[in-house]
Amino acid sequence: MTKAYDYLFKLLLIGDSGVGKTCVLFRFSEDAFNSTFISTIGIDFKIRTIELDGKKIKLQIWDTAGQERFRTITTAYYRGAMGIMLVYDITNEKSFENIKNWIRNIEEHAAPDVQKMILGNKCDMNDKRAVSKERGEQLAVEYGIRFLETSAKASYNVEESFYILSRDIKSHIDKKLEQQQSNSGGRQQLNNNSNNVVLSKGGGRGAGGSRG
Amino acid sequence: MGDVDDWVDKAEEERLGIIGKYDKGREEGAEIEPWDDPAFEIYHVTDHYGFIHDQRFPLKFNPEENKFRFVEAERADKWVKMHASWDKYKSSDKLRNRTFKGIPNKVRGFFWGLFLDLPTIKEQQKGKYEEMYQLARQHSLDVRQIDLDVNRTYRDNIMFRERYGVKQRSLFNILCAYSIYNSEVGYCQGMSQVAALLLMYMDEEDAFWGLSQLMTHHKYGMHGFFIAGFPKLVRFQKHHDKVLKSMIPKLKKHFDKHGVDVGLYTLKWFFQCFLDRVPFELGLRLWDIFLMDGDRVLTCGAYSILKMHHKQLLAKKNMDDLLDYLQSSIPNDLTISNDKAIEIYQRCLEDLQRKKLDVAGDVGEDELPKKPFGLIENIVKPIPVRKEQRISMRLNRTPPMAQKELTDNSECESREEEDEDASSEKASASRVTVTSAASSSMANSPRNISRPLSSISNFSYASAIEDYNSSNKSTPLKMNGVSSSSNKSKSSTVHNSDYKVTSVGYGWYESKPEREEEEDEEGSMENGSVETVESVELMDTQIISVHQGPQGDYSTGYSEDYKVSFKTGKGVRINNERSGRTPPPPPARSLDPKPHPPLSSIIHSTTIPVVESSSSMGSSSHNGDKSIINRRETAVVSSARLSSSSSSRSAVKEHSKISPISDAPSWSSSSISIPSGGEAVRIHVPYSNSNDISTIPVSTTPVPVTPRSNFDTLKNDPNRIKIDISSK
């Protein structure tokens, strides 16, 4: 059996209802756009395997319901996430302002070293823009997070953003691995601040013992 | 009168036009609307239940389909007979067994209504829906979320396909109304699918009460699923784990090993009784049983799905595949027939009953509604209004707020004192700091409940509501020569026997509020700055003013205060004192564009095409033949309705009692003929029975609806704007 991947990364998409989280994910996983999506209830996920620096990386991307009421359910998935996409809608000011709340949520529930990225989605709808790109950038700088404007519909920057986030996670992990290896003489396994996510470099085994 | 002559001319013109078309014939380039043509693609890709598929169906049914339809037709007769002695059958084994076989689609909506006890509740709650709907238009805080979800609910079904189409509007209306009616639940994602399913089989008001019964009747108790914290979901998931452990321990271990948590796959099973998680047709069968048996269907259905697929599931070796199988494979193809699946369900039910596992424990106190329903009716109760009342709104994060009154208030009581509390508390996103008593009753209203008010600002309630009201945007209304879409200011007035509600035009204010740093949503709620004060002079009866500002791009000339005066029954006068610009006067209320079809025609007819919004029907841009007719129809009917709106109500009543045949999404069933023994041919003729010329669809996408729902939708939408023909 050939191993299907070298790494398994768990990513999470969060943001207000209707900002296009599912569309972004659908664009990334299926390279398609369908304007008649159904609203995500609770939590859902998609898989895509990408390649970075010759390594196969399986991305398990969790998509969450944006409605406040579901936060009790969705925050349970923060802990296992290694990367989080914060999505807002450039045509909806409130969704942008809520990014701060979402970040606070992350600080509360996610691993401290989780990699984050802000996406201003729907940037194809420039005529309805309510949040300038500069404001998005400024917010990202404020929090020291990466930022991109995307359009799931126009397939703009979606691919890029997932690659960037994955690269960040990978380099973060590689750094941690190096540290661990130098400390403990080459142990292969690394516990990513969470009990249920076990990363194994080169082992082809992912979380929960899933196998390629 | 010139108007009459005008109509006569137009009618003649139209008559000649029609004759001309037949003279010309098809070959000479006659204009043929797509839905007039049997080759119209949508007829060939729409299934029995209205779902639109990517591929054409074969022209002929396969033998299985043929048989199914034949059997269903036979069964429908039996059900109708059963209804004739309903008291005898209603708790009989016969009914039970027949329900397990599936309620025939033609009569499904009707019997769902009986299971839900709709006739009783509607009798008890007469007028309540209308009231809630009206209140919701002005007070619901969930409008934005509902709008987002209506846009994402069953868009692959022809009924919900068209944005702001008839059924989308009904869905929007009942969800908004329910969010006010049951303030603890408000609106929760997942409800839209449930409500939409009901709407596929019922009219708007029935679906509202159906939803209400599903939420609060002890048999279904979905209230506990949808309230914050989801207590019933937790209970059912726990119980499901227990069932799994006891009945299919091997699978339970397998799930545990691969991290497949019960929370990952049961949410839609329980929230929506398997909608979207099993093929739609099987979903209907499960809903048949659900409505008869109540919530143990959820427990048992969950167990049976896993039971019937446990081998396939055990073969999946990781979480992704397991979840993918449960969430994508099963809904696409169950691999076994529906009848077989229901058989397995029945066996599973017996198994669970034997082990006393069919009931998911005791109902928790926290799952039950604590607050009386429709409590906001306090607002509707007479509220004292001073001659001059100042309504100040915080426009920066303010959805439009309106006060509403019954005109016939006999008793007025003073309540001004309390409102400071009410409004200064979390009085809500709507933030009306009102010196009227309305806000005192808000203390009891849903807005006082600390439900999250996320993303409310930056969103215009009224504009969303407007969108649903004037569904045909392509024909902007013209009012006294002022195109409403040109200045984004609309006014509307309601006149019916119960209410007199007037909502007044609005404009967004140029001055952008300074934004205060918000720490969080709560913070932002406390902080909005008062931007504008509008004074409303109330002369006789107090009414409502909706002043609303959508987003900045709607900024128009109304950057100054303006005065609004009301007079009883006389509509609205708006004086913009400073700018001197006069907002357009409100158009007359829309009434039903056509009389209710006679009962006989409903029973025997199966389809009457949609009547599109009257705004389009009465469009003043009458350059086509249709609009002439339409205008005329509207004119006649409106005068009739004005004189006796109650008579049409009784017509609806009467209608709802009739035989259920017309209830289902029947355009497809109507199109099917089943010659005995032979094979049916799939010919869809959705508009075969348009006995009313005004029902020629005016929008480009046909949305077939049953006459009843059509009628009720129109009836229930008092804010539909109609052109005042007499002014023309």
Side-chain angles (χ1 to χ4, degrees):
Chain A
M1 190 170 73
T2 55
K3 64 185 181 193
Y5 54 89
D6 303 295
Y7 291 85
L8 172 72
F9 290 173
K10 287 192 177 185
L11 309 183
L12 187 72
L13 284 161
I14 58 176
D16 280 6
S17 189
V19 297
K21 297 180 289 295
T22 307
C23 290
V24 166
L25 180 51
F26 198 66
R27 169 60 73 192
F28 181 67
S29 66
E30 325 281 323
D31 195 20
F33 181 82
N34 176 352
S35 55
T36 62
F37 271 104
I38 53 173
S39 38
T40 308
I41 295 166
I43 191 135
D44 213 340
F45 85 108
K46 288 247 184 282
I47 298 285
R48 185 177 153 188
T49 305
I50 60 167
E51 221 173 279
L52 270 186
D53 309 328
K55 299 285 184 199
K56 277 187 181 156
I57 298 174
K58 178 170 173 176
L59 302 178
Q60 188 184 78
I61 309 158
W62 294 87
D63 186 14
T64 60
Q67 198 186 11
E68 169 98 24
R69 198 171 302 187
F70 286 93
R71 239 173 261 182
T72 47
I73 290 177
T74 54
T75 46
Y77 295 85
Y78 283 34
R79 187 167 289 279
M82 294 142 78
I84 295 181
M85 292 280 191
L86 293 124
V87 189
Y88 72 90
D89 168 2
I90 66 147
T91 68
N92 182 332
E93 166 120 25
K94 186 75 184 177
S95 73
F96 175 71
E97 282 164 15
N98 270 336
I99 288 290
K100 288 176 183 169
N101 300 328
W102 288 108
I103 289 177
R104 194 164 320 121
N105 241 297
I106 294 175
E107 284 163 357
E108 221 171 284
H109 298 282
D113 63 343
V114 66
Q115 303 297 306
K116 297 179 281 276
M117 183 160 185
I118 298 176
L119 301 184
N121 193 35
K122 306 194 190 177
C123 72
D124 55 296
M125 293 167 75
N126 220 354
D127 52 328
K128 289 192 180 160
R129 180 186 283 275
V131 183
S132 69
K133 196 174 173 183
E134 289 69 35
R135 284 177 68 197
E137 281 163 348
Q138 204 186 326
L139 183 77
V141 168
E142 221 172 278
Y143 283 98
I145 306 177
R146 286 185 193 272
F147 168 77
L148 269 185
E149 283 202 343
T150 58
S151 164
K153 192 174 179 182
S155 188
Y156 175 72
N157 269 348
V158 174
E159 192 91 351
E160 287 77 358
S161 58
F162 280 97
Y163 271 87
I164 290 169
L165 187 63
S166 305
R167 193 175 289 281
D168 282 354
I169 296 170
K170 184 166 174 291
S171 54
H172 181 73
I173 283 169
D174 287 347
K175 218 186 318 171
K176 268 183 122 174
L177 265 176
E178 256 169 51
Q179 273 176 8
Q180 274 208 355
Q181 277 171 355
S182 60
N183 289 346
S184 61
R187 261 184 49 200
Q188 290 255 318
Q189 288 217 327
L190 154 72
N191 205 326
N192 187 42
N193 288 310
S194 125
N195 297 329
N196 60 346
V197 180
V198 180
L199 260 183
S200 33
K201 191 178 179 234
R205 287 177 64 97
S210 45
R211 209 171 283 130
Chain B
M1 287 176 62
D3 285 346
V4 176
D5 293 343
D6 202 28
W7 297 337
V8 172
D9 290 348
K10 296 262 160 63
E12 179 61 13
E13 193 183 308
E14 186 197 50
R15 200 179 66 83
L16 293 173
I18 291 169
I19 293 169
K21 280 184 182 175
Y22 280 90
D23 286 348
K24 261 199 216 162
R26 183 168 182 129
E27 297 313 310
E28 294 178 48
E31 281 173 41
I32 296 167
E33 302 288 3
W35 47 84
D36 288 343
D37 196 334
F40 191 36
E41 193 55 25
I42 204 145
Y43 302 155
H44 298 274
V45 294
T46 306
D47 70 15
H48 194 50
Y49 303 99
F51 286 92
I52 299 163
H53 296 252
D54 290 338
Q55 284 174 341
R56 268 182 170 232
F57 290 99
L59 211 55
K60 289 177 179 173
F61 291 122
N62 65 37
E64 249 173 67
E65 270 180 300
N66 228 352
K67 192 180 159 206
F68 172 68
R69 275 160 180 76
F70 185 71
V71 170
E72 240 200 9
E74 276 192 337
R75 282 185 185 157
D77 287 345
K78 289 184 187 169
W79 278 80
V80 171
K81 275 179 201 146
M82 197 154 61
H83 176 243
S85 5
W86 185 241
D87 283 338
K88 182 175 139 202
Y89 284 110
K90 70 181 173 193
S91 38
S92 66
D93 282 348
K94 185 158 235 161
L95 176 71
R96 223 182 138 64
N97 290 335
R98 283 183 176 168
T99 306
F100 277 117
K101 285 180 184 168
I103 304 176
N105 208 42
K106 271 186 188 173
V107 296
R108 187 167 255 139
F110 182 83
F111 284 95
W112 279 9
L114 289 183
F115 284 147
L116 288 163
D117 209 10
L118 295 186
T120 315
I121 191 144
K122 273 173 69 187
E123 186 60 34
Q124 287 166 352
Q125 304 278 358
K126 220 181 273 176
K128 192 76 179 173
Y129 171 63
E130 183 100 15
E131 191 184 309
M132 288 298 124
Y133 163 67
Q134 288 299 341
L135 281 170
R137 293 175 61 82
Q138 291 140 20
H139 302 288
S140 175
L141 298 180
D142 295 300
V143 166
R144 181 178 191 270
Q145 187 67 55
I146 291 168
D147 176 48
L148 280 171
D149 288 345
V150 166
N151 195 20
R152 300 184 282 185
T153 303
Y154 285 125
R155 294 302 293 277
D156 54 344
N157 189 295
I158 195 164
M159 286 188 238
F160 297 96
R161 185 72 152 194
E162 198 183 15
R163 190 68 175 126
Y164 308 120
V166 173
K167 284 284 179 182
Q168 275 205 9
R169 295 163 67 195
S170 292
L171 183 58
F172 178 80
N173 293 346
I174 62 176
L175 291 172
C176 287
Y178 196 77
S179 73
I180 284 289
Y181 180 70
N182 183 344
S183 57
E184 285 170 89
V185 165
Y187 171 74
C188 179
Q189 291 192 303
M191 285 163 64
S192 67
Q193 306 277 108
V194 172
L197 179 74
L198 295 177
L199 277 173
M200 288 182 198
Y201 290 93
M202 296 170 193
D203 69 34
E204 191 175 310
E205 187 173 357
D206 281 18
F208 174 82
W209 291 115
L211 182 66
S212 169
Q213 289 288 70
L214 285 171
M215 289 289 165
T216 53
H217 192 287
H218 64 88
K219 210 152 100 179
Y220 316 107
M222 295 182 107
H223 182 94
F225 281 130
F226 289 112
I227 51 172
F230 314 122
K232 189 168 178 180
L233 180 71
V234 174
R235 173 163 68 95
F236 268 66
Q237 288 180 336
K238 231 183 201 164
H239 184 75
H240 175 73
D241 254 352
K242 198 169 145 190
V243 169
L244 213 53
K245 210 170 171 176
S246 151
M247 309 297 285
I248 339 175
K250 212 171 159 190
L251 188 65
K252 165 77 176 144
K253 268 185 207 145
H254 185 66
F255 277 180
D256 286 349
K257 183 179 161 198
H258 295 294
V260 175
D261 180 72
V262 62
L264 285 175
Y265 64 91
T266 56
L267 202 75
K268 281 199 178 180
W269 286 3
F270 293 156
F271 268 30
Q272 307 178 344
C273 186
F274 305 100
L275 287 182
D276 295 346
R277 286 291 183 252
V278 295
F280 187 75
E281 208 165 41
L282 179 64
L284 291 172
R285 299 281 298 269
L286 287 168
W287 268 81
D288 291 342
I289 305 169
F290 177 52
L291 293 177
M292 176 180 69
D293 265 2
D295 58 13
R296 70 175 178 183
V297 169
L298 306 177
T299 298
C300 185
Y303 166 55
S304 354
I305 290 175
L306 295 182
K307 176 90 180 169
M308 67 181 90
H309 291 281
H310 81 280
K311 279 191 186 129
Q312 292 94 319
L313 288 165
L314 284 171
K316 308 281 174 216
K317 296 298 182 198
N318 62 51
M319 183 182 74
D320 316 338
D321 292 345
L322 280 166
L323 286 181
D324 189 60
Y325 189 80
L326 288 168
Q327 301 191 345
S328 308
S329 303
I330 293 180
N332 284 330
D333 182 12
L334 196 71
T335 66
I336 53 177
S337 75
N338 293 331
D339 289 336
K340 183 87 190 148
I342 296 295
E343 246 174 61
I344 295 177
Y345 170 89
Q346 284 176 280
R347 272 211 306 277
C348 286
L349 180 62
E350 284 162 18
D351 289 351
L352 288 183
Q353 278 172 329
R354 221 172 294 123
K355 299 212 169 194
K356 295 200 163 53
L357 282 170
D358 59 320
V359 178
D362 295 331
V363 180
E365 207 36 54
D366 52 351
E367 295 171 20
L368 301 172
K370 305 277 180 300
K371 298 197 161 92
F373 302 118
L375 215 155
I376 201 163
E377 71 175 307
N378 295 343
I379 290 185
V380 187
K381 287 274 154 60
I383 300 169
V385 178
R386 295 174 180 161
K387 286 282 175 187
E388 286 191 21
Q389 207 178 25
R390 293 182 86 74
I391 300 176
S392 50
M393 295 179 55
R394 304 177 176 190
L395 286 164
N396 52 343
R397 53 200 70 261
T398 311
M401 184 60 185
Q403 311 302 314
K404 174 176 184 301
E405 285 281 323
L406 288 172
T407 15
D408 54 343
N409 341 343
S410 39
E411 11 144 12
C412 286
E413 42 185 66
S414 205
R415 289 172 157 187
E416 276 102 320
E417 284 72 38
E418 308 158 35
D419 31 278
E420 298 231 343
D421 284 354
S423 52
S424 67
E425 270 225 39
K426 33 200 126 166
S428 81
S430 294
R431 313 306 4 213
V432 178
T433 27
V434 192
T435 26
S436 96
S439 53
S440 68
S441 38
M442 278 180 213
N444 296 327
S445 80
R447 88 174 34 78
N448 201 26
I449 292 163
S450 51
R451 266 193 287 116
L453 306 168
S454 54
S455 3
I456 279 177
S457 83
N458 204 15
F459 174 76
S460 129
Y461 270 29
S463 76
I465 290 171
E466 280 303 333
D467 286 342
Y468 286 94
N469 281 340
S470 51
S471 68
N472 195 334
K473 290 166 145 185
S474 59
T475 44
L477 296 171
K478 284 200 170 176
M479 294 176 279
N480 278 9
V482 184
S483 162
S484 65
S485 59
S486 69
N487 59 11
K488 298 286 181 209
S489 175
K490 292 182 184 177
S491 308
S492 54
T493 327
V494 183
H495 294 287
N496 65 30
S497 55
D498 297 330
Y499 304 110
K500 178 170 169 298
V501 180
T502 311
S503 53
V504 183
Y506 43 79
W508 192 233
Y509 293 76
E510 201 73 70
S511 51
K512 255 230 150 170
E514 310 130 55
R515 236 174 333 110
E516 297 173 25
E517 190 60 22
E518 307 164 18
E519 274 311 296
D520 50 30
E521 279 162 346
E522 280 75 30
S524 72
M525 281 157 47
E526 306 289 334
N527 288 335
S529 60
V530 176
E531 278 299 307
T532 325
V533 174
E534 295 169 54
S535 54
V536 180
E537 269 186 24
L538 297 153
M539 295 185 174
D540 234 324
T541 351
Q542 54 296 47
I543 317 163
I544 306 40
S545 91
V546 180
H547 291 267
Q548 207 251 313
Q551 285 120 353
D553 50 332
Y554 289 143
S555 302
T556 57
Y558 305 114
S559 55
E560 307 286 358
D561 300 353
Y562 56 82
K563 222 172 204 170
V564 186
S565 336
F566 298 96
K567 274 189 176 175
T568 318
K570 297 245 173 78
V572 183
R573 225 174 37 230
I574 302 171
N575 307 310
N576 187 342
E577 289 186 327
R578 306 216 193 147
S579 71
R581 217 199 271 200
T582 311
R589 284 275 99 205
S590 159
L591 299 160
D592 297 333
K594 67 188 182 68
H596 195 54
L599 292 183
S600 58
S601 82
I602 291 155
I603 292 166
H604 299 296
S605 80
T606 37
T607 309
I608 290 191
V610 62
V611 179
E612 253 313 320
S613 79
S614 60
S615 64
S616 62
M617 297 191 56
S619 162
S620 54
S621 58
H622 44 87
N623 39 12
D625 295 337
K626 285 175 211 151
S627 65
I628 300 160
I629 291 272
N630 292 337
R631 286 165 55 81
R632 196 162 147 196
E633 291 267 341
T634 338
V636 174
V637 176
S638 61
S639 55
R641 284 299 305 277
L642 275 171
S643 57
S644 62
S645 66
S646 56
S647 67
S648 56
R649 265 158 210 251
S650 58
V652 181
K653 264 275 150 46
E654 199 179 347
H655 180 29
S656 60
K657 273 187 245 155
I658 59 142
S659 118
I661 304 292
S662 67
D663 231 333
S666 48
W667 66 94
S668 52
S669 48
S670 74
S671 58
I672 293 156
S673 60
I674 305 169
S676 50
E679 53 182 8
V681 177
R682 195 192 300 272
I683 309 166
H684 294 263
V685 192
Y687 300 122
S688 55
N689 195 35
S690 44
N691 50 7
D692 180 340
I693 195 153
S694 75
T695 59
I696 292 168
V698 287
S699 75
T700 48
T701 318
V703 183
V705 292
T706 59
R708 190 165 125 201
S709 46
N710 179 13
F711 178 76
D712 275 2
T713 310
L714 295 166
K715 177 187 119 300
N716 286 334
D717 192 356
N719 272 12
R720 159 185 300 267
I721 292 167
K722 202 203 72 186
I723 300 304
D724 189 354
I725 295 170
S726 58
S727 72
K728 197 60 203 172

